[in-house]
């Protein structure tokens, strides 16, 4: 599930079977479909999703938690990188302002000396 069409297909399939499941969440970012259903409905849910042509796998709760944790760590790293880039941009802008002020002051000093 790596595009909006894929996640949409899974969402539509599960929505059609809403009376047979308690709840579901389709996360394209995490490439996970979380479904809450009765134990005897597990195979039915896999079948609903398989009918969309999307592969399913049996992940244990531990595997899912590990995957989600890794995804959260990656997002956190991306956010930190973005914050660092913004900070660098702000510092460059401040330096440019300082340089511009210094240049202006130098020009004013030169103008005073000419008078």
């Amino acid at each position: 599930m790596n595009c909006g069409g894929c996640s949409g297909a899974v969402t539509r399939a599960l929505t059609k079977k809403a009376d047979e499941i308690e709840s579901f969440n389709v996360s394209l970012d995490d490439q996970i479909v979380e479904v809450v259903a009765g134990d005897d409905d597990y195979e039915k849910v896999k079948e609903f999703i398989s009918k969309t042509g999307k592969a399913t796998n049996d992940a244990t709760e531990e595997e899912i938690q590990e995957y989600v944790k890794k995804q959260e760590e990656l997002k956190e790293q991306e956010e930190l990188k973005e914050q660092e880039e913004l900070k660098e941009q702000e510092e460059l802008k401040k330096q440019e302002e300082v340089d511009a002020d210094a240049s202006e002051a130098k020009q004013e000093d030169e103008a005073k000396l000419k008078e």
Side-chain angles (χ1 to χ4, degrees):
M1 188 173 68
N2 53 14
C3 71
C6 296
S7 63
V10 172
T11 299
R12 285 187 298 279
L14 292 173
T15 300
K16 288 179 183 177
K17 302 295 183 177
D19 57 327
E20 298 179 39
I21 57 177
E22 293 177 34
S23 66
F24 69 92
N25 180 42
V26 178
S27 174
L28 178 58
D29 291 340
D30 295 330
Q31 297 185 358
I32 290 178
V33 178
E34 180 180 10
V35 179
V36 178
D39 291 337
D40 56 335
D41 294 329
Y42 178 75
E43 290 302 320
K44 287 182 188 177
V45 170
K46 283 180 58 177
E47 183 181 327
F48 303 152
I49 294 171
S50 294
K51 285 182 180 180
T52 67
K54 309 305 167 205
T56 62
N57 64 24
D58 297 332
T60 65
E61 183 67 25
E62 184 178 301
E63 291 171 327
I64 292 169
Q65 293 301 324
E66 183 178 324
Y67 178 81
V68 169
K69 182 179 177 182
K70 286 180 182 179
Q71 292 302 311
E72 288 172 352
E73 289 172 356
L74 288 172
K75 286 180 185 177
E76 210 173 283
Q77 289 173 357
E78 288 175 15
E79 289 172 2
L80 287 173
K81 185 177 178 181
E82 287 176 13
Q83 289 174 356
E84 288 175 7
E85 288 173 357
L86 286 174
K87 186 176 179 180
E88 287 176 11
Q89 290 174 356
E90 289 174 7
E91 289 174 1
L92 285 172
K93 186 176 179 179
K94 285 180 184 178
Q95 186 61 46
E96 288 172 357
E97 289 172 0
V98 168
D99 292 346
D101 289 345
S103 177
E104 187 179 313
K106 183 179 178 183
Q107 289 175 354
E108 288 174 2
D109 289 344
E110 288 174 355
K112 287 180 183 177
L113 288 174
K114 289 181 182 180
E115 293 177 0

